Amino acid sequence: MTDNDVTTRDLAANPAVTDERAEWLESLAKHRHFLRFTTRDLTDEQAGLRPTASELCLGGLIKHVASAERHWVDFILNGPSALPDFTAMTESDWARRADEFRLLPGETLAGVLAEYAEVARRTDDVVATLPDLGRTWPLPKAPWFEADAQWSARRVLMHIVTETAQHAGHADIIRESLDGAKSMG
């Protein structure tokens, strides 16, 4: 792990974080570690390669997970105005969203990892200090959300953990396709 990783030592530094919140932070830290671990010892060029049939690359996955986590924490704090109305997105909006999954010219692996570490620190602060994990907001409009659904902060955290774990699995396949390195096993 690198200096940017959140570890159980970090959790011990904040004794107010106990029970459920400590479990959320521990789960986030574990899955973030596995996602970041797939990029160990890679060059920027390698982090931008797409060695599978997918359009995904490791640098882009880190960017996407950081962006998704940032937006969902904004949702926890500010409600649906923090996320776009996906039903009103233009072709240009979708193209910008697709760039989230790529390491673009001028972007570096170190830069996207640093941004992800900053997003993680902010999320961890919110998890540790949010007065009520049961607070709910209506979800923004999107074809993949049921109409009139609401999510609690707790449900959003479950989504962030799930998304991070899912993309860590994608990243592991991409890394193994690049050079045979595995995250586990």
Side-chain angles (χ1 to χ4, degrees):
M1 291 207 304
T2 69
D3 292 335
N4 290 332
D5 288 326
V6 176
T7 66
T8 52
R9 288 187 310 259
D10 299 324
L11 301 178
N14 189 346
V17 179
T18 60
D19 300 331
E20 178 186 9
R21 292 170 193 266
E23 290 177 13
W24 284 119
L25 293 173
E26 184 179 348
S27 185
L28 282 165
K30 177 179 78 171
H31 294 296
R32 287 175 184 143
H33 164 72
F34 282 119
L35 178 59
R36 284 189 302 259
F37 190 64
T38 63
T39 67
R40 69 197 179 281
D41 304 322
L42 291 181
T43 65
D44 292 338
E45 180 184 358
Q46 289 171 309
L49 293 175
R50 299 180 349 217
T52 67
S54 169
E55 290 191 27
L56 300 175
C57 69
L58 292 173
L61 277 173
I62 301 286
K63 279 177 51 178
H64 168 68
V65 172
S67 176
E69 185 172 320
R70 180 186 318 104
H71 286 103
W72 279 111
V73 170
D74 288 345
F75 175 84
I76 288 172
L77 297 172
N78 304 308
S81 65
L83 297 171
D85 174 347
F86 290 96
T87 63
M89 286 178 61
T90 66
E91 201 172 302
S92 178
D93 294 330
W94 286 110
R96 276 192 301 281
R97 184 169 165 83
D99 282 345
E100 239 181 48
F101 292 91
R102 299 178 184 95
L103 198 58
L104 300 174
E107 293 179 330
T108 65
L109 178 58
V112 297
L113 287 169
E115 175 64 20
Y116 186 36
E118 193 57 39
V119 167
R121 277 191 284 281
R122 177 177 177 243
T123 300
D124 292 349
D125 288 343
V126 168
V127 171
T129 62
L130 191 70
D132 181 9
L133 293 177
R135 180 181 185 182
T136 63
W137 294 101
L139 289 173
K141 291 182 183 177
W144 48 85
F145 294 138
E146 69 181 71
D148 302 319
Q150 293 194 23
W151 278 8
S152 67
R154 185 176 288 106
R155 175 63 183 91
V156 171
L157 292 172
M158 185 184 320
H159 180 71
I160 292 170
V161 169
T162 301
E163 175 126 342
T164 305
Q166 178 180 16
H167 288 312
H170 295 147
D172 197 38
I173 292 167
I174 293 168
R175 178 59 191 259
E176 191 171 355
S177 296
L178 279 174
D179 62 6
K182 298 178 185 178
S183 295
M184 299 176 76

